[in-house]
Amino acid sequence: MITKVISITNQKGGVGKTTITIQKAFYLTDMGKKVLVVDLDGQGNTSSRLGRITPGKEPVRFTGTKTSELFDSDLDQIEVTQCAYGMDLIHSLENDIDLYELEAESLEKAITFTKKLNSIKEKYDYILIDCPPSLGRKLVAALSISTHIVIPIQLSGFSTNGVRGLFDSIIQVKNTLNPTLEVTGIIINGMNNRSKTHKESLSKLEEIVPDLIFKNRIVNRAPIDSATDLGVPVWKIKSGAARVAAKEIKSVIKEILDRVQSK
């Protein structure tokens, strides 16, 4: 099996990138897949949830290479953090200044990131990259090594111009650094089927990229946020609401896998 490298990205924050990254990592690990998660977001939320010694409890334990070190050409060896749930992690610290400062560096740094990850890529079935909410060097680095891109959005206050800006970056990387890059699709997160605004925003989006909209959507449900905050799979939470949320998130993840395998 060729390693699938999936970037979860949107230039807007608060759209569910971390939630989808974490829950997908749990799902693939449960499937028996070898998974590496790379936290490229300087907020470090994915790392703080997956890096706990015991899922759902503090403290956090990071034993390996920081994500920012992947941009250093002098890095000799990558040491991953082995997470309690079973996946591997290349971590970012909370409000990691080293990651933030990379935006001022040359494009060569992004190419270094690609080379470093390529050196360990074949050890994994899937590499999931949680991207920062911005267009810049870190996003270019992620797209340069990715085989696929997943774009979560929320329809409240949604701007079609924002998607166009992200697609401009994707096209630029595809034309210059990574010609095999594929856009897997756009996931609607926090959907409210009774909201007129959501329906209108979705209609506009479907006019622009009809083939990219996922059929399965994630409704705004508290158990998903609770599970992600605890660093556990939502299907491990025992409640009626959690069972509904787990069914929705699993349907989205399965659709990601189906789309990834078909391209």
Side-chain angles (χ1 to χ4, degrees):
M1 175 181 173
I2 299 174
T3 305
K4 304 296 185 183
V5 184
I6 306 172
S7 279
I8 298 89
T9 182
N10 190 318
Q11 69 183 84
K12 189 176 187 301
V15 296
K17 292 186 286 76
T18 296
T19 294
I20 292 170
T21 302
I22 290 174
Q23 295 299 324
K24 185 172 175 60
F26 289 141
Y27 185 90
L28 290 169
T29 302
D30 281 347
M31 287 177 62
K33 302 298 183 181
K34 185 65 175 174
V35 180
L36 172 66
V37 178
V38 181
D39 189 357
L40 254 180
D41 191 338
Q43 295 180 73
N45 291 331
T46 292
S47 299
S48 66
R49 271 61 179 181
L50 294 181
R52 290 170 177 159
I53 294 174
T54 303
K57 298 181 180 179
E58 300 294 353
V60 173
R61 177 191 62 192
F62 298 129
T63 58
T65 302
K66 288 202 315 174
T67 308
S68 59
E69 295 176 297
L70 297 180
F71 294 84
D72 184 356
S73 59
D74 293 330
L75 178 67
D76 293 327
Q77 184 175 354
I78 298 173
E79 297 181 7
V80 300
T81 294
Q82 295 180 334
C83 300
Y85 200 81
M87 69 287 291
D88 288 346
L89 171 70
I90 299 179
H91 72 278
S92 169
L93 300 177
E94 183 178 358
N95 297 318
D96 194 332
I97 190 65
D98 291 332
L99 267 182
Y100 290 131
E101 289 181 345
L102 283 167
E103 295 304 331
E105 298 289 346
S106 68
L107 182 60
E108 187 64 31
K109 291 285 186 178
I111 297 172
T112 297
F113 173 91
T114 300
K115 291 178 179 178
K116 296 300 180 184
L117 264 190
N118 268 328
S119 69
I120 62 169
K121 185 173 70 173
E122 293 183 358
K123 297 179 181 180
Y124 298 96
D125 300 308
Y126 290 89
I127 297 176
L128 308 179
I129 304 178
D130 185 9
C131 297
S134 62
L135 304 176
R137 290 288 182 260
K138 294 189 290 293
L139 179 62
V140 170
L143 298 184
S144 296
I145 193 173
S146 294
T147 57
H148 299 82
I149 306 162
V150 171
I151 306 169
I153 68 164
Q154 289 192 340
L155 295 172
S156 298
F158 170 71
S159 169
T160 55
N161 290 333
V163 169
R164 288 193 180 99
L166 178 58
F167 271 79
D168 286 344
S169 295
I170 292 169
I171 291 169
Q172 184 177 6
V173 171
K174 188 177 176 72
N175 289 340
T176 57
L177 297 171
N178 186 0
T180 63
L181 183 64
E182 296 285 350
V183 178
T184 301
I186 296 172
I187 298 171
I188 309 300
N189 184 31
M191 179 71 185
N192 183 347
N193 293 317
R194 293 177 293 180
S195 169
K196 181 180 178 181
T197 301
H198 280 202
K199 291 179 180 178
E200 290 175 348
S201 296
L202 180 58
S203 178
K204 288 181 181 178
L205 192 61
E206 288 173 334
E207 290 176 5
I208 300 170
V209 284
D211 295 336
L212 292 180
I213 309 300
F214 273 50
K215 294 177 181 178
N216 293 288
R217 296 159 190 169
I218 302 172
V219 176
N220 189 13
R221 300 190 190 277
I224 296 177
D225 292 335
S226 297
T228 300
D229 186 56
L230 290 170
V232 299
V234 66
W235 48 93
K236 298 293 187 182
I237 295 179
K238 304 301 181 183
S239 74
R243 284 194 292 271
V244 175
K247 183 178 179 180
E248 289 178 353
I249 198 82
K250 283 185 173 182
S251 293
V252 167
I253 293 170
K254 289 176 183 176
E255 187 171 354
I256 293 174
L257 295 179
D258 288 344
R259 288 178 174 234
V260 164
Q261 296 302 332
S262 68
K263 293 184 178 181

